[in-house]
C-alpha cells in the first residue's frame, strides 16, 4: 500500500519495526481506552428500549498461529461486547495475545478490563454472559476467575455469570460421550 499510494519502498523488517514501535507506544493507552469505551456502551445500553436486560458478554478462545518452520501454536483471543435492551450489539472490544504457555497475559488483561468496567458500572440489572467453546483455557478462566469474581459495589456478593458453550462444540462433546458409553455405533 505504501508503494502504490506514496512510492515508498520498505522492507518487511522496516515495516515490522514500525509496527512494533506503534504497538509499544499505544499499549500504555489501550486499557484505559477500552474501559472507557465499554462503560460508554453500557450507559447507552441502559438507556435503550427493549425487553431484555443490557448484556455484558465476554468470550474467550484460542487461535492457531503459524510460527517459523511450519510449526503452529495456540494464541489467545478474547472479546467483550455490550448488547442493549433490544438485543442489538453496541460494540465489541477485542484482545489478543501471541502464543504463551498458560495464556497468563490474556487472563490478566481480560480480568483487569472486566474489574475496571464493573467498578465503574453497577452490575445490578446487567446480564453477565460468558461464551466459549469450553476448551481448557476458556473453561479454566470461567471456573478460576469469573465464578470467583465479586461485585465491586457489593463485595460480599459474587457476580452471577451465565455460561454458554457454543452449539457446535457442545455437540462434539455429546458425541464423544456417546462414543465412550456405547462405542461408535448407531445406538450412541
Amino acid at each position: 500500500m505504501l508503494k502504490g499510494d506514496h512510492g515508498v519502498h520498505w522492507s518487511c523488517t522496516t515495516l515490522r519495526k514500525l509496527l512494533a514501535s506503534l504497538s509499544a507506544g499505544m499499549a500504555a493507552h489501550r486499557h484505559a481506552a477500552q474501559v472507557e469505551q465499554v462503560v460508554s456502551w453500557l450507559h447507552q445500553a441502559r438507556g435503550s428500549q427493549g425487553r431484555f436486560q443490557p448484556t455484558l458478554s465476554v468470550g474467550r478462545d484460542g487461535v492457531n498461529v503459524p510460527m517459523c518452520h511450519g510449526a503452529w501454536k495456540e494464541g489467545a483471543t478474547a472479546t467483550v461486547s455490550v448488547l442493549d435492551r433490544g438485543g442489538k450489539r453496541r460494540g465489541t472490544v477485542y484482545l489478543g495475545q501471541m502464543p504463551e504457555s498458560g495464556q497468563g497475559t490474556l487472563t490478566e488483561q481480560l480480568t483487569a478490563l472486566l474489574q475496571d468496567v464493573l467498578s465503574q458500572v453497577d452490575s445490578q440489572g446487567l446480564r453477565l454472559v460468558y461464551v466459549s467453546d469450553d476448551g481448557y483455557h476458556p473453561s479454566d478462566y470461567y471456573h478460576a476467575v469469573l465464578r470467583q469474581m465479586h461485585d465491586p459495589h457489593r463485595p460480599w456478593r459474587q457476580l452471577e455469570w451465565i455460561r454458554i458453550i457454543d452449539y457446535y462444540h457442545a455437540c462434539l462433546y455429546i458425541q464423544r460421550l456417546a462414543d465412550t458409553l456405547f462405542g461408535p455405533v448407531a445406538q450412541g
Side-chain angles (χ1 to χ4, degrees), residues 54-133:
T55 301
L56 180 66
S57 177
V58 178
R60 183 163 176 168
D61 202 355
V63 59
N64 287 318
V65 179
M67 306 302 281
C68 295
H69 310 294
W72 290 75
K73 292 192 175 183
E74 185 180 41
T77 62
T79 58
V80 178
S81 299
V82 175
L83 286 76
D84 66 18
R85 293 179 185 278
K88 180 183 175 196
R89 184 171 59 93
R90 290 289 173 154
T92 301
V93 167
Y94 301 90
L95 294 92
Q97 284 296 317
M98 288 299 286
E100 173 189 38
S101 178
Q103 299 183 358
T105 303
L106 184 79
T107 294
E108 290 172 13
Q109 288 178 340
L110 180 56
T111 303
L113 177 61
L114 293 174
Q115 287 173 336
D116 289 350
V117 165
L118 292 169
S119 71
Q120 293 184 37
V121 175
D122 192 352
S123 65
Q124 195 81 341
L126 193 62
R127 183 171 47 179
L128 303 173
V129 176
Y130 181 61
V131 182
S132 78
D133 64 4

